[in-house]
Amino acid sequence: MGYPRVRFAPSPTGKLHLGSARTALFNWLFARHNKGKMILRLEDTDALRSSKDFERDITDSLTWMGLNWDEGPDIGGPYAPYRQSARLELYRKAAEGLLSDKKAYRCFCTPEELSERKQKTIAQGGTWRYDRKCLHLEEEGEKRLLEEGKPYAIRFLVPPGEITVKDLLRGDIKVDSKEIDDFIIVRSDGRASFHLAVVVDDISMKISHVIRGDDHLTNSFRHVLLFDALGSPVPQFLHHSLMVGVDGAKLSKRHGATSVSDYREAGYLPSALVNYLALLSWSPGDEREIFTLEELTEEFDVRGISASKAVFDIDKLNWLNRRHIQRLSTKEVVQALLPFLKKEGKTELLSLPEEKLEIAVESVRKNMQTLRDALEPLDIYAKPAGYLSPQAKSELEKTENVSEIMEICVSTLSSESSSDSETAQRIISTLRNKAKERGWSAKKVLWPLRLGMTGETIGPDLVYLIMFWGPKGAAERIKKNLGPFVNLDDKEGPRGNSE
Ligand code: GLU
């Protein structure tokens, strides 16, 4: 057997759903692990529900996740075109071939006639399947209807016998063809049905493995029949389990965000989402849980896929996202945050020199579960000097010896000029010592220091704050922030403040 060729075949009738993204991921990992080809095919024959915006959401989301393709509508390939709306002629030809081989037949029944007969059958306690009324049309009768221009659909003539879907995950799944009615392959408006289009495409694109959700299992029986009827070998199937919410129902809007772009927007890293989706019903066979896409590619083996339902668990995704953020360097976290800062119009932060933004991000990153979690804490670095929140103000008002404390802080800060972390730490320990000398707790000095520098009662470690503004800058901020009720303007540090 040659290298595998797999396809991801979304219908652009909505944003890329997490469940479809998982299908894409399994296909991609299978292709990459086995040095095969990944094909992107857009199933856009439903012109009313398909849209370019959804198409863009799907391709952008795949790209964001790192799932590239070797052939597709945008890049072409040996079996182009890769969008179904441009392949209608192929479907028409295939349907004509099936008609002339007597493997399909025209059906002139109108929807009203069908529904009437269906209701009657059901009323009599039967199960409705198409009753093959039009299979038995005399040649003359059919000719007359065609001449009259009566619209018709084309139905596949399901042959008797057993149909077997060979599934890599579930083994052989069999059904008696009596269970399958003569399904429509071309609608009365001339459009090919999903079944015909998929099979014609899978044949002409030389797809070797069809990996998709188990909601397609019943379709696959029809597809096996079509592959046979069109004289083509049947690809190997793998129907993975669907993704469900904690209540066991198919993952849908009522469970919360369901599209990849929603999660991107909410501040999840692509590596975490990919890691999460892969682990949802696949295991490397040991206890490891943190994987990059490269590591997954290396390890991925379809034998590790489980057939049990994949229950979406946001807590696990959050945990993984936190771990993936921790694995990034601070520079990488800054890069990942930039689009969010831009989107939220955080111009003060965006105009900071790179190394300042890095200090700021470094100071908040340990509490981040999502990228968005950094946005509010970072605001502390965007506040103009002179800012004092009401809480900080009332805390300062309550503080005894506030002027003396602030003088100590300002003079200690002003005596240093370097903004590195060692200096900042030295400043903190000097302040601790000065507190001790006066018989105070360290907090008695360090708490007003925080209030004075930031104008807020909560925020990152003091060391980062001092590094960010620099000792002299921090002293200036204290003077400006506390100006209204602590007169520090004329006070100088012990070694003098020449500025
Ligand atoms: N277009 C189908 C869907 O979005 C996929 C068909 C297939 O994978 O065969 O569900």
Side-chain angles (χ1 to χ4, degrees):
M1 197 191 82
Y3 293 117
R5 290 178 55 81
V6 297
R7 84 294 198 281
F8 176 55
S11 306
T13 52
K15 300 205 279 183
L16 183 66
H17 189 277
L18 283 185
S20 307
R22 188 159 142 269
T23 303
L25 176 62
F26 283 159
N27 276 285
W28 188 91
L29 289 172
F30 183 75
R32 296 294 173 249
H33 180 81
N34 296 295
K35 306 195 170 21
K37 296 278 184 225
M38 169 81 170
I39 289 115
L40 176 65
R41 179 170 82 218
L42 287 173
E43 306 209 326
D44 62 345
T45 49
D46 186 343
L48 280 181
R49 289 172 59 227
S50 297
S51 88
K52 288 279 168 206
D53 283 348
F54 290 142
E55 222 177 277
R56 205 166 310 116
D57 179 86
I58 291 169
T59 51
D60 283 356
S61 298
L62 290 172
T63 306
W64 177 73
M65 288 169 72
L67 310 182
N68 59 342
W69 48 95
D70 306 298
E71 298 166 29
D74 52 342
I75 50 172
Y79 306 102
Y82 291 92
R83 60 172 70 242
Q84 289 192 330
S85 58
R87 301 175 61 83
L88 304 181
E89 190 52 24
L90 285 166
Y91 311 143
R92 201 185 54 76
K93 279 205 185 115
E96 270 170 14
L98 290 171
L99 272 180
S100 62
D101 290 351
K102 305 258 179 283
K103 291 174 176 169
Y105 58 94
R106 296 185 180 87
C107 172
F108 296 89
C109 298
T110 64
E112 294 73 31
E113 287 163 357
L114 288 170
S115 125
E116 197 178 304
R117 295 200 318 264
K118 181 177 173 182
Q119 274 166 25
K120 212 159 137 194
T121 310
I122 292 171
Q124 289 165 354
T127 312
W128 168 256
R129 280 197 197 90
Y130 180 66
D131 53 10
R132 293 192 161 168
K133 181 167 182 249
C134 291
L135 175 64
H136 307 297
L137 275 181
E138 297 292 329
E139 216 172 286
E140 275 307 301
E142 180 172 14
K143 216 169 139 203
R144 191 171 36 78
L145 290 169
L146 284 173
E147 277 163 12
E148 282 170 13
K150 190 152 191 239
Y152 61 86
I154 301 177
R155 286 185 186 272
F156 183 74
L157 176 58
V158 172
E162 197 174 53
I163 315 168
T164 306
V165 170
K166 291 183 184 300
D167 189 285
L168 275 173
L169 185 56
R170 295 154 205 268
D172 287 0
I173 310 160
K174 295 175 192 291
V175 73
D176 191 315
S177 73
K178 281 200 210 99
E179 304 293 322
I180 313 270
D181 72 352
D182 289 350
F183 55 93
I184 289 181
I185 54 174
V186 177
R187 296 187 187 84
S188 57
D189 61 5
R191 279 192 300 138
S193 72
F194 160 72
H195 303 302
L196 182 66
V198 162
V199 173
V200 167
D201 288 349
D202 285 346
I203 294 172
S204 73
M205 293 177 185
K206 300 204 163 37
I207 299 303
S208 63
H209 293 73
V210 170
I211 302 173
R212 59 187 175 190
D214 61 9
D215 51 337
H216 282 293
L217 194 50
T218 52
N219 293 331
S220 294
F221 293 119
R222 295 177 175 84
H223 298 180
V224 166
L225 293 175
L226 279 170
F227 279 107
D228 285 344
L230 291 166
S232 171
V234 181
Q236 181 70 61
F237 287 101
L238 190 156
H239 295 90
H240 61 73
S241 60
L242 283 194
M243 226 163 125
V244 293
V246 274
D247 57 355
K250 191 174 165 182
L251 193 71
S252 71
K253 283 265 182 278
R254 69 196 165 82
H255 295 108
T258 52
S259 72
V260 170
S261 44
D262 289 341
Y263 283 88
R264 178 183 187 175
E265 175 62 22
Y268 289 84
L269 291 179
S271 60
L273 193 63
V274 159
N275 190 162
Y276 179 70
L277 292 176
L279 283 192
L280 207 43
S281 50
W282 170 84
S283 137
D286 53 38
E287 298 297 302
R288 283 172 301 156
E289 296 203 276
I290 310 290
F291 291 91
T292 61
L293 192 54
E294 292 69 33
E295 289 160 348
L296 286 169
T297 308
E298 184 76 14
E299 302 269 342
F300 189 76
D301 183 337
V302 287
R303 283 173 296 192
I305 297 182
S306 131
S308 52
K309 279 194 172 166
V311 183
F312 181 73
D313 172 3
I314 186 75
D315 294 334
K316 181 75 184 277
L317 173 58
N318 285 336
W319 177 79
L320 275 172
N321 206 50
R322 186 185 278 278
R323 297 290 303 269
H324 276 261
I325 290 176
Q326 281 166 3
R327 279 167 65 128
L328 297 181
S329 69
T330 298
K331 270 190 198 308
E332 288 167 328
V333 180
V334 170
Q335 284 309 312
L337 275 171
L338 288 179
F340 291 88
L341 296 176
K342 284 185 190 136
K343 195 146 189 214
E344 301 297 323
K346 306 268 182 196
T347 43
E348 299 89 346
L349 294 169
L350 285 166
S351 55
L352 287 171
E354 210 177 294
E355 63 289 358
K356 290 271 184 205
L357 189 52
E358 276 168 28
I359 295 170
V361 169
E362 175 74 30
S363 76
V364 301
R365 61 172 294 180
K366 68 173 186 299
N367 294 324
M368 287 165 68
Q369 181 159 277
T370 68
L371 293 168
R372 281 199 173 271
D373 290 340
L375 298 179
E376 220 185 288
L378 281 176
D379 277 344
I380 210 158
Y381 297 105
K383 296 260 158 51
Y387 168 82
L388 201 58
S389 75
Q391 296 89 326
K393 187 163 185 282
S394 94
E395 284 294 316
L396 283 162
E397 280 164 356
K398 282 195 291 208
T399 307
E400 280 173 35
N401 319 99
V402 67
S403 298
E404 187 184 350
I405 295 169
M406 295 330 295
E407 273 168 36
I408 297 169
C409 291
V410 168
S411 64
T412 310
L413 286 163
S414 307
S415 66
E416 298 275 6
S417 9
S418 175
S419 300
D420 56 39
S421 110
E422 263 173 38
T423 309
Q425 280 169 24
R426 187 169 56 241
I427 291 170
I428 304 289
S429 55
T430 307
L431 289 174
R432 284 177 183 278
N433 289 337
K434 290 190 176 172
K436 208 167 168 192
E437 281 163 18
R438 288 165 176 78
W440 296 339
S441 70
K443 190 176 170 228
K444 182 157 171 68
V445 175
L446 298 182
W447 175 236
L449 170 67
R450 164 180 302 285
L451 303 171
M453 273 192 294
T454 64
E456 290 282 13
T457 50
I458 43 167
D461 284 356
L462 291 170
V463 169
Y464 291 115
L465 298 172
I466 297 172
M467 285 165 69
F468 181 82
W469 283 297
K472 294 211 172 4
E476 283 310 307
R477 276 185 81 82
I478 292 175
K479 288 185 200 168
K480 286 204 173 110
N481 288 356
L482 303 189
F485 64 99
V486 182
N487 185 9
L488 294 160
D489 281 351
D490 304 324
K491 301 288 192 300
E492 294 202 337
R495 294 180 210 163
N497 182 357
S498 53
E499 286 170 0

